[in-house]
Amino acid sequence: MVEPVQDKIIIEDLNIDYGGVPALKHVSFSVKDKEILGVIGPANSGKTSFLRAMNRLNDLDLSCHRTGSIKLNGKDINCEMDAEEVRKKVTMVFALPLPLPMSIFDNVAYGPRRHGTKDKKKLEMIVERSLKAAFLWDEVKDRLDSSGMKLSGGQQQRLCIARTLAVEPEVILYDEPCSGLDPISTAKVEEAMQELKTRYTQILVTNNVKQAARVGDRVAFFLMGELVEIDGAQKIFTAPRDKRTNDYLTGRFG
């Protein structure tokens, strides 16, 4: 008997504003365990605000005001979890690769060390496992002591994914992770995402609708702070329910 797919994240009536200017309005939906959810929409549609709310980065912005709830494994991330716990379970890969100014090895080992792992053998295992999962190990295994800053842009982004995986999160957020990458590097990052589906829930914010179609199991379309619709990727891209979604996908606006 096939086990039903559980909801990993449940968002209920989420509202976010910055100094009174609304960014998200009455957003409610769920994210399933071990799915890739693509999030698309034009500029200023609330995509990044949603992503930053998912691991409480908005806490750092004093002008930000939030109502509603986000639950991870049934626990409200704002009321029942502290920010450090949330950010360990829900990690983010940003648009621009941000390797730390240290060796490849130390980049990946940084998070585990911060969380108290000191044993060299264990760190070596974590680094190898994380680099393999990010499809980078074969390219860097003979130069782990060299600077992460010397890698190509695509390699740096996969290094950032490996650094994220090293702390053993449950959810990985991507904010335009391939926006500055060439097609070959983009394909490698997308390949890593597909492989990571067996273990992680992933949310991909992208302006590249073709990328959302390629890697997303489901896709959510945001417009002017509202969730217009969410459905299977094939359904969204072939037969969207809402005319606004179709207008965006066919280039009539956005």
Side-chain angles (χ1 to χ4, degrees), residues 15-25 44 49 63-65 224-225:
N15 297 271
I16 293 176
D17 69 74
Y18 299 95
V21 179
L24 285 178
K25 296 174 279 188
N44 300 315
S49 290
S63 71
C64 181
H65 177 250
M224 297 178 66

Side-chain angles (χ1 to χ4, degrees), residues 4 29 59 61 73 77 112 119 125 134 148 154 198-199 218 248:
F29 67 99
D59 290 12
D61 187 337
N73 301 323
I77 67 168
D119 182 77
M125 289 173 57
T198 60
R199 285 172 285 162
R218 291 191 303 152
Y248 176 69

